[in-house]
Amino acid sequence: MVEVFSFNNWNLSLDIGWFIFIAFILSWLISFKVGASKSSKIALTVFTISHGLSNATGSVDFDGVNYFVLEAYYLNWSLYDSATVLAIYFLHTGLKVRHSGAVKVAYALTIVNMFSYLAMHYLAFELHYTSHWFYPIYSAGINVTALLIAASLLLKFDSYRLRALCSLKS
């Protein structure tokens, strides 16, 4: 998921994507050991599956030609994230599980990533910018938010705890 234009190394991008996928797998496994909430387990399961599928199907090689599901791969990642949020929402609704605060934080971070993907698509594919000040911010941002999602679901971060951490009051 690292910006290809900045590093000009697609293999590095895939390696970091797999690292994030492994972080989600470990968070998912640990969530059963530490007794995470049912809401967090559902979200971690869906995020883990989503990241695995996006890494496996983000690009398709056939007869030596690299094909993307969509020609603009930032839109692919935005679609994966929107499908992930919808799947988590519908699973919670169908199973009648209340959304935990950590899941709400994960929703917010995923939406930040979705807007980053859309901004990158606009800059790279619509305006055809080969470099832009947003590229390094995007590169670091989407990977950090993905790791924060895995950590927040495992460590039960919610908006109340995050506000308490950010406030200057003791």
Side-chain angles (χ1 to χ4, degrees):
M1 291 201 200
V2 171
E3 166 46 34
V4 178
F5 294 132
S6 294
F7 293 99
N8 200 17
N9 186 341
W10 183 245
N11 290 328
L12 175 65
S13 171
L14 292 177
D15 290 344
I16 291 175
W18 284 109
F19 173 78
I20 290 171
F21 175 58
I22 290 169
F24 272 105
I25 289 174
L26 291 175
S27 293
W28 179 75
L29 291 172
I30 293 169
S31 73
F32 289 97
K33 182 73 172 165
V34 299
S37 69
K38 188 173 184 178
S39 177
S40 291
K41 288 177 185 175
I42 291 169
L44 275 169
T45 302
V46 174
F47 273 111
T48 302
I49 292 168
S50 174
H51 277 272
L53 287 175
S54 69
N55 285 341
T57 62
S59 65
V60 179
D61 290 327
F62 183 71
D63 290 335
V65 178
N66 189 8
Y67 297 95
F68 288 95
V69 179
L70 296 174
E71 288 298 318
Y73 50 88
Y74 297 112
L75 292 180
N76 287 345
W77 291 328
S78 185
L79 289 173
Y80 272 112
D81 277 358
S82 60
T84 301
V85 168
L86 289 174
I88 293 169
Y89 176 79
F90 287 126
L91 279 171
H92 276 76
T93 303
L95 296 172
K96 295 183 170 84
V97 175
R98 185 181 170 119
H99 288 81
S100 68
V103 172
K104 292 175 185 175
V105 169
Y107 282 158
L109 291 171
T110 303
I111 290 169
V112 167
N113 274 355
M114 288 169 47
F115 280 111
S116 295
Y117 298 139
L118 294 175
M120 284 300 295
H121 172 75
Y122 181 71
L123 291 170
F125 289 95
E126 300 300 323
L127 297 179
H128 303 290
Y129 289 166
T130 56
S131 66
H132 191 270
W133 63 266
F134 183 68
Y135 289 3
I137 293 169
Y138 161 83
S139 297
I142 60 159
N143 296 304
V144 168
T145 55
L147 292 174
L148 283 174
I149 290 169
S152 71
L153 291 170
L154 184 62
L155 301 174
K156 302 176 187 171
F157 284 159
D158 57 14
S159 58
Y160 175 76
R161 288 185 185 154
L162 290 176
R163 283 194 303 265
L165 285 173
C166 294
S167 73
L168 298 175
K169 298 177 184 177
S170 333

